[in-house]
Amino acid sequence: MTLDSSARLEVDPLIDDPATRIIVCCGAGGVGKTTTAAALGVRAAERGRKVVVLTIDPARRLAQSMGIDSLDNTPRRVEGIEGGGELHAMMLDMKRTFDEIVEAHADAERARAILENPFYQSLSAGFAGTQEYMAMEKLGQLRAREEWDLIIVDTPPSRSALDFLDAPKRLGSFLDGKFIKLLMAPAKMGGRAGMKFLNVGMSMMTGTLGKLLGGQLLRDVQTFVAAMDTMFGGFRTRADATYRLLQAPGTAFMVVAAPERDALREAAYFVERLAEEDMPLAGLVLNRVHVSGAARLSAERALAAAENLDEGGIVDQGHGKTGVRDAAAVSPESPSAGHSPEAHPQVAEEPSESKNSRTQTTQEMTAGLLRLHAERMQVLAREQRTRDRFTALHPEVPVAEVPALPGDVHDLVGLRAIGDRLATGGRAPAGAA
Amino acid sequence: MSRLQVVSGKGGTGKTTVAAALALALATEGKRTLLVEVEGRQGIAQLFETEALPYEERKIAVASGGGEVFALAIDAERALLDYLQMFYKLGSAGRALKKIGAIDFATTIAPGVRDVLLTGKACEAVRRRDRQGRYVYDYVVMDAPPTGRITRFLNVNDEVAGLARIGPIHNQAQAVMRVLKSPETAVHLVTLLEEMPVQETADGVAELRAADLPVGNAIVNMVRPHLLDEDAVHDAANGRRAAVTDALKAAGVTGAAGLVTPLLEQAAEHAERVELEREQRKALNALELGAYELPMLSEGVDLAGLYQLAKELRKQGAGS
Ligand SMILES: Nc1ncnc2c1ncn2[C@@H]1O[C@H](COP(=O)(O)OP(=O)(O)O)[C@@H](O)[C@H]1O
Ligand SMILES: Nc1ncnc2c1ncn2[C@@H]1O[C@H](COP(=O)(O)OP(=O)(O)O)[C@@H](O)[C@H]1O
Ligand SMILES: [Mg+2]
Ligand SMILES: [Mg+2]
């Protein structure tokens, strides 16, 4: 099962290369960005590098097992890493990062005024894009510390992967907006006296907004804007610097996608956008791909065989080598496995298809195995089609496939397993085709 | 059944899909539903395979049985301009405000203001009556922001209280809260049988309850069938390998001997997944919510799939 037309993404050479300083894992929501970032971190550290992983929204159990669930907004060393390297990890606290910027760029009194302002509070907690902006900011800070030779960044759970690139600019242009400038003008000229310089139209408008929103609100805005004024320049300069960092040669983007239509469409947009922005793409990680060790048995043939078994009597009970235990196991008990009635309004404990194995004959069980296989093969075929569509569009993009694990990934063992699969591109030795 | 149906959930679990299916399901014979979108993503238009929705209610589907589904993409800026127009007869001054970015400013920097405009529009549709005094829409279904933001989004009163203490926005917030905290509203949470979405659902339910907002159902989406359970797999792997090989041969499968191991491996993975799902179900049950379950559509969701999900919701009691 290989991708005929696209190259393989070679992960180990990339993470081993001392020239690689930043890896950004991006993609649509829920595809496995955080998992991939953490798995790359573990692997790179165990191969000898000094790594820091900036995660945004790790699953709770994963954060706990890495010891980064405390949210103190600074990297912690992860225990249990084998080999010569080090792994440090942290979880981004967006509000705290914003507060720290304010504290670093304003004197104590002014900083307090900003932090207490209701507008600052909604901006720092809720502005669409604040999280993306703060992730970039944190990346810049980590890079400036020169303590790690590899920084791996996870990206926020936005619906669109492009948000990560667009959001900081959006915040920047918002802070640069005409209206803010207008509001700031009088403040710059010195509080109330400056108000006189507002033209009539303008004061009518602010008056209207004031009536609509309440006068207090507009005064809060003005205080906020005045207090932030000195910081705006700094904001923009740093956002621009971080953006340039993303274009630097030591940076590599990994676009993560699930083999589903929407996620791959998103990945394609992102690949195109990176090219436009001159940002270096390492490749596509196709995560949670299904594989089968029995791929030579097609779905159709598996289903046909299952039907043969359903029709029964082809193999009868005593036939062949069913052992004593088996004979007991298939003793004809009542097959009705307490089919529960319509189970609303509660979540049904269990869909009713599965029967108690004690009452399942070898035929029934084998038919079950075949149906399961047919379902798996249908999934494989669908994933192959969506993947082919992507490769047809972007044959130049190297791809690494990571098979879906049956459970979720919540500890170092799981992360290592993902790392192995990343590095072997999914062509695991264990008989997987 | 509550007339305002709010659909939230972790991103990517199927909020937009489920909201659309619910709007179809509730549009039973002679009924009319309004499906509203608040995040400017045009997800509804994509789903119904139509061009982008304007800021205007328009019919997008006829449900099976003849009910009608209307859709509206609510735009906070337009809603604010409407309000300004309504209260101040602004005319061209409104456009000027927009031009200098004041509207953008007011609707972005103060998320509370933005939210009250969005929820306000939805609540207005819930209460709207025609000349005969009948409700214009029997149900309004909202494709809402994700679980992480839903409580703040709906709890506009608290959000706005700190910002706008008087004035029409303040009054609007009060009126909206009356609808949102009443039995007229139900907030559903879409989830998958996976750790993260279930955890988010649990957190979301706790937050909604703490804010006195009416929690509706858990909607378990993309449910896959259980074909074999763990005991069966165990049995097959231990005692019955040879018998399974024979059964495969007899069923006409060539190369049966080489297939048993991978088939059993797949079955073991399946059993592991079933077991994990069982745990997640248990966690959901502990929340004591009502529930709907929607199957995973193996070919993805197209229009036909949407009607199929709607049918499933009706079967489970939506709209009756
Ligand atoms: N290859 C995989 N096999 C099985 N589960 C996976 C795999 N990759 C990710 N997951 C699980 O999927 C869920 C979402 O992954 P996550 O990395 O948090 O996604 P994202 O950061 O893109 O939102 C997590 O519960 C994670 O354990
Ligand atoms: N029951 C289902 N079966 C199969 N695919 C589904 C199902 N529900 C949703 N999807 C798919 O999952 C993806 C995310 O769904 P969407 O409704 O856009 O989620 P959200 O609005 O929560 O981000 C879409 O590709 C959608 O087609
Ligand atoms: Mg994540
Ligand atoms: Mg959506």
mmCIF file of all heavy atoms in Angstrom, chain A residues 367-390:
data_model
loop_
_atom_site.group_PDB
_atom_site.id
_atom_site.type_symbol
_atom_site.label_atom_id
_atom_site.label_comp_id
_atom_site.label_asym_id
_atom_site.label_seq_id
_atom_site.Cartn_x
_atom_site.Cartn_y
_atom_site.Cartn_z
ATOM 1 N N ALA A 367 -18.014 -15.358 10.529
ATOM 2 C CA ALA A 367 -18.753 -14.389 9.712
ATOM 3 C C ALA A 367 -18.528 -12.983 10.265
ATOM 4 O O ALA A 367 -18.349 -12.024 9.510
ATOM 5 C CB ALA A 367 -20.242 -14.730 9.697
ATOM 6 N N GLY A 368 -18.503 -12.875 11.587
ATOM 7 C CA GLY A 368 -18.235 -11.582 12.226
ATOM 8 C C GLY A 368 -16.862 -11.055 11.844
ATOM 9 O O GLY A 368 -16.712 -9.882 11.490
ATOM 10 N N LEU A 369 -15.861 -11.940 11.882
ATOM 11 C CA LEU A 369 -14.506 -11.534 11.508
ATOM 12 C C LEU A 369 -14.480 -11.028 10.064
ATOM 13 O O LEU A 369 -13.815 -10.034 9.747
ATOM 14 C CB LEU A 369 -13.534 -12.710 11.633
ATOM 15 C CG LEU A 369 -13.187 -13.205 13.043
ATOM 16 C CD1 LEU A 369 -12.322 -14.461 12.967
ATOM 17 C CD2 LEU A 369 -12.483 -12.120 13.833
ATOM 18 N N LEU A 370 -15.208 -11.709 9.213
ATOM 19 C CA LEU A 370 -15.226 -11.334 7.792
ATOM 20 C C LEU A 370 -15.940 -10.000 7.572
ATOM 21 O O LEU A 370 -15.508 -9.169 6.781
ATOM 22 C CB LEU A 370 -15.896 -12.446 6.970
ATOM 23 C CG LEU A 370 -15.041 -13.721 6.812
ATOM 24 C CD1 LEU A 370 -15.893 -14.898 6.340
ATOM 25 C CD2 LEU A 370 -13.883 -13.477 5.849
ATOM 26 N N ARG A 371 -17.031 -9.784 8.288
ATOM 27 C CA ARG A 371 -17.763 -8.512 8.146
ATOM 28 C C ARG A 371 -16.911 -7.353 8.634
ATOM 29 O O ARG A 371 -16.878 -6.285 8.036
ATOM 30 C CB ARG A 371 -19.055 -8.548 8.966
ATOM 31 C CG ARG A 371 -20.063 -9.491 8.415
ATOM 32 C CD ARG A 371 -21.501 -8.941 8.498
ATOM 33 N NE ARG A 371 -22.299 -9.703 7.549
ATOM 34 C CZ ARG A 371 -22.716 -10.947 7.803
ATOM 35 N NH1 ARG A 371 -22.473 -11.509 8.978
ATOM 36 N NH2 ARG A 371 -23.383 -11.605 6.889
ATOM 37 N N LEU A 372 -16.242 -7.614 9.732
ATOM 38 C CA LEU A 372 -15.353 -6.591 10.281
ATOM 39 C C LEU A 372 -14.272 -6.237 9.260
ATOM 40 O O LEU A 372 -13.948 -5.070 9.037
ATOM 41 C CB LEU A 372 -14.703 -7.165 11.539
ATOM 42 C CG LEU A 372 -14.062 -6.194 12.509
ATOM 43 C CD1 LEU A 372 -15.099 -5.219 13.017
ATOM 44 C CD2 LEU A 372 -13.476 -6.979 13.683
ATOM 45 N N HIS A 373 -13.753 -7.273 8.636
ATOM 46 C CA HIS A 373 -12.720 -7.053 7.636
ATOM 47 C C HIS A 373 -13.281 -6.274 6.438
ATOM 48 O O HIS A 373 -12.627 -5.364 5.918
ATOM 49 C CB HIS A 373 -12.144 -8.391 7.174
ATOM 50 C CG HIS A 373 -11.117 -8.241 6.107
ATOM 51 N ND1 HIS A 373 -9.907 -7.624 6.315
ATOM 52 C CD2 HIS A 373 -11.136 -8.585 4.789
ATOM 53 C CE1 HIS A 373 -9.221 -7.614 5.188
ATOM 54 N NE2 HIS A 373 -9.947 -8.184 4.236
ATOM 55 N N ALA A 374 -14.496 -6.623 6.033
ATOM 56 C CA ALA A 374 -15.107 -5.927 4.891
ATOM 57 C C ALA A 374 -15.250 -4.447 5.215
ATOM 58 O O ALA A 374 -14.945 -3.574 4.394
ATOM 59 C CB ALA A 374 -16.465 -6.548 4.564
ATOM 60 N N GLU A 375 -15.683 -4.151 6.440
ATOM 61 C CA GLU A 375 -15.839 -2.756 6.840
ATOM 62 C C GLU A 375 -14.480 -2.046 6.777
ATOM 63 O O GLU A 375 -14.360 -0.944 6.251
ATOM 64 C CB GLU A 375 -16.412 -2.688 8.262
ATOM 65 C CG GLU A 375 -16.937 -1.310 8.621
ATOM 66 C CD GLU A 375 -16.853 -1.016 10.109
ATOM 67 O OE1 GLU A 375 -16.222 -1.790 10.861
ATOM 68 O OE2 GLU A 375 -17.414 0.012 10.531
ATOM 69 N N ARG A 376 -13.462 -2.699 7.300
ATOM 70 C CA ARG A 376 -12.115 -2.132 7.295
ATOM 71 C C ARG A 376 -11.652 -1.863 5.858
ATOM 72 O O ARG A 376 -11.087 -0.807 5.568
ATOM 73 C CB ARG A 376 -11.170 -3.110 8.012
ATOM 74 C CG ARG A 376 -9.691 -2.794 7.901
ATOM 75 C CD ARG A 376 -9.260 -1.704 8.857
ATOM 76 N NE ARG A 376 -9.391 -2.072 10.242
ATOM 77 C CZ ARG A 376 -8.366 -2.288 11.070
ATOM 78 N NH1 ARG A 376 -7.137 -2.190 10.632
ATOM 79 N NH2 ARG A 376 -8.578 -2.603 12.323
ATOM 80 N N MET A 377 -11.917 -2.812 4.964
ATOM 81 C CA MET A 377 -11.484 -2.639 3.579
ATOM 82 C C MET A 377 -12.229 -1.479 2.899
ATOM 83 O O MET A 377 -11.674 -0.786 2.046
ATOM 84 C CB MET A 377 -11.681 -3.933 2.782
ATOM 85 C CG MET A 377 -10.750 -5.063 3.196
ATOM 86 S SD MET A 377 -9.004 -4.595 3.217
ATOM 87 C CE MET A 377 -8.687 -4.427 1.460
ATOM 88 N N GLN A 378 -13.493 -1.290 3.279
ATOM 89 C CA GLN A 378 -14.233 -0.151 2.713
ATOM 90 C C GLN A 378 -13.633 1.173 3.186
ATOM 91 O O GLN A 378 -13.500 2.110 2.416
ATOM 92 C CB GLN A 378 -15.722 -0.241 3.084
ATOM 93 C CG GLN A 378 -16.464 -1.230 2.200
ATOM 94 C CD GLN A 378 -17.728 -1.782 2.846
ATOM 95 O OE1 GLN A 378 -18.051 -1.464 3.985
ATOM 96 N NE2 GLN A 378 -18.432 -2.637 2.111
ATOM 97 N N VAL A 379 -13.268 1.199 4.460
ATOM 98 C CA VAL A 379 -12.623 2.403 4.990
ATOM 99 C C VAL A 379 -11.313 2.661 4.247
ATOM 100 O O VAL A 379 -11.025 3.769 3.792
ATOM 101 C CB VAL A 379 -12.363 2.269 6.510
ATOM 102 C CG1 VAL A 379 -11.527 3.434 7.014
ATOM 103 C CG2 VAL A 379 -13.677 2.180 7.256
ATOM 104 N N LEU A 380 -10.527 1.592 4.069
ATOM 105 C CA LEU A 380 -9.250 1.703 3.362
ATOM 106 C C LEU A 380 -9.443 2.290 1.966
ATOM 107 O O LEU A 380 -8.687 3.163 1.536
ATOM 108 C CB LEU A 380 -8.617 0.317 3.219
ATOM 109 C CG LEU A 380 -7.355 0.022 4.015
ATOM 110 C CD1 LEU A 380 -7.684 -0.121 5.481
ATOM 111 C CD2 LEU A 380 -6.715 -1.265 3.508
ATOM 112 N N ALA A 381 -10.441 1.772 1.279
ATOM 113 C CA ALA A 381 -10.669 2.211 -0.106
ATOM 114 C C ALA A 381 -11.052 3.682 -0.132
ATOM 115 O O ALA A 381 -10.572 4.457 -0.961
ATOM 116 C CB ALA A 381 -11.772 1.366 -0.744
ATOM 117 N N ARG A 382 -11.896 4.083 0.829
ATOM 118 C CA ARG A 382 -12.322 5.478 0.869
ATOM 119 C C ARG A 382 -11.127 6.385 1.178
ATOM 120 O O ARG A 382 -10.942 7.416 0.541
ATOM 121 C CB ARG A 382 -13.414 5.648 1.922
ATOM 122 C CG ARG A 382 -14.077 7.000 1.885
ATOM 123 C CD ARG A 382 -15.266 7.072 2.813
ATOM 124 N NE ARG A 382 -14.875 7.090 4.215
ATOM 125 C CZ ARG A 382 -15.128 6.117 5.082
ATOM 126 N NH1 ARG A 382 -15.765 5.030 4.691
ATOM 127 N NH2 ARG A 382 -14.743 6.215 6.334
ATOM 128 N N GLU A 383 -10.319 5.955 2.130
ATOM 129 C CA GLU A 383 -9.156 6.769 2.481
ATOM 130 C C GLU A 383 -8.200 6.876 1.300
ATOM 131 O O GLU A 383 -7.626 7.923 1.041
ATOM 132 C CB GLU A 383 -8.434 6.160 3.692
ATOM 133 C CG GLU A 383 -9.254 6.289 4.964
ATOM 134 C CD GLU A 383 -8.548 5.728 6.187
ATOM 135 O OE1 GLU A 383 -7.470 5.113 6.047
ATOM 136 O OE2 GLU A 383 -9.086 5.884 7.291
ATOM 137 N N GLN A 384 -8.042 5.779 0.583
ATOM 138 C CA GLN A 384 -7.154 5.775 -0.577
ATOM 139 C C GLN A 384 -7.640 6.798 -1.614
ATOM 140 O O GLN A 384 -6.850 7.543 -2.184
ATOM 141 C CB GLN A 384 -7.120 4.372 -1.186
ATOM 142 C CG GLN A 384 -6.175 4.228 -2.357
ATOM 143 C CD GLN A 384 -4.710 4.243 -1.907
ATOM 144 O OE1 GLN A 384 -4.345 3.515 -0.982
ATOM 145 N NE2 GLN A 384 -3.893 5.052 -2.530
ATOM 146 N N ARG A 385 -8.950 6.840 -1.826
ATOM 147 C CA ARG A 385 -9.498 7.775 -2.824
ATOM 148 C C ARG A 385 -9.229 9.220 -2.428
ATOM 149 O O ARG A 385 -8.772 10.022 -3.243
ATOM 150 C CB ARG A 385 -11.013 7.575 -2.984
ATOM 151 C CG ARG A 385 -11.403 6.404 -3.846
ATOM 152 C CD ARG A 385 -12.862 6.525 -4.322
ATOM 153 N NE ARG A 385 -13.838 6.594 -3.227
ATOM 154 C CZ ARG A 385 -14.314 5.521 -2.591
ATOM 155 N NH1 ARG A 385 -13.894 4.304 -2.917
ATOM 156 N NH2 ARG A 385 -15.197 5.647 -1.627
ATOM 157 N N THR A 386 -9.487 9.567 -1.156
ATOM 158 C CA THR A 386 -9.261 10.968 -0.749
ATOM 159 C C THR A 386 -7.783 11.309 -0.822
ATOM 160 O O THR A 386 -7.405 12.398 -1.236
ATOM 161 C CB THR A 386 -9.757 11.234 0.690
ATOM 162 O OG1 THR A 386 -9.424 10.130 1.490
ATOM 163 C CG2 THR A 386 -11.232 11.454 0.742
ATOM 164 N N ARG A 387 -6.934 10.343 -0.473
ATOM 165 C CA ARG A 387 -5.498 10.554 -0.495
ATOM 166 C C ARG A 387 -5.022 10.753 -1.937
ATOM 167 O O ARG A 387 -4.222 11.623 -2.221
ATOM 168 C CB ARG A 387 -4.854 9.310 0.092
ATOM 169 C CG ARG A 387 -3.495 9.461 0.586
ATOM 170 C CD ARG A 387 -3.141 8.283 1.460
ATOM 171 N NE ARG A 387 -3.890 7.060 1.111
ATOM 172 C CZ ARG A 387 -3.691 5.904 1.714
ATOM 173 N NH1 ARG A 387 -2.802 5.786 2.662
ATOM 174 N NH2 ARG A 387 -4.383 4.847 1.369
ATOM 175 N N ASP A 388 -5.562 9.942 -2.826
ATOM 176 C CA ASP A 388 -5.179 10.062 -4.239
ATOM 177 C C ASP A 388 -5.531 11.446 -4.776
ATOM 178 O O ASP A 388 -4.794 12.015 -5.576
ATOM 179 C CB ASP A 388 -5.875 8.997 -5.087
ATOM 180 C CG ASP A 388 -5.268 7.620 -4.842
ATOM 181 O OD1 ASP A 388 -4.192 7.557 -4.208
ATOM 182 O OD2 ASP A 388 -5.879 6.620 -5.270
ATOM 183 N N ARG A 389 -6.671 11.947 -4.344
ATOM 184 C CA ARG A 389 -7.078 13.271 -4.801
ATOM 185 C C ARG A 389 -6.047 14.317 -4.362
ATOM 186 O O ARG A 389 -5.679 15.200 -5.113
ATOM 187 C CB ARG A 389 -8.456 13.621 -4.227
ATOM 188 C CG ARG A 389 -9.386 14.248 -5.244
ATOM 189 C CD ARG A 389 -10.799 14.353 -4.685
ATOM 190 N NE ARG A 389 -11.423 13.053 -4.483
ATOM 191 C CZ ARG A 389 -12.300 12.777 -3.513
ATOM 192 N NH1 ARG A 389 -12.667 13.710 -2.654
ATOM 193 N NH2 ARG A 389 -12.819 11.588 -3.418
ATOM 194 N N PHE A 390 -5.582 14.184 -3.123
ATOM 195 C CA PHE A 390 -4.577 15.133 -2.636
ATOM 196 C C PHE A 390 -3.275 14.993 -3.420
ATOM 197 O O PHE A 390 -2.685 15.979 -3.847
ATOM 198 C CB PHE A 390 -4.313 14.927 -1.139
ATOM 199 C CG PHE A 390 -3.268 15.854 -0.588
ATOM 200 C CD1 PHE A 390 -3.614 17.110 -0.131
ATOM 201 C CD2 PHE A 390 -1.921 15.491 -0.565
ATOM 202 C CE1 PHE A 390 -2.660 17.984 0.355
ATOM 203 C CE2 PHE A 390 -0.955 16.354 -0.087
ATOM 204 C CZ PHE A 390 -1.329 17.606 0.369
#
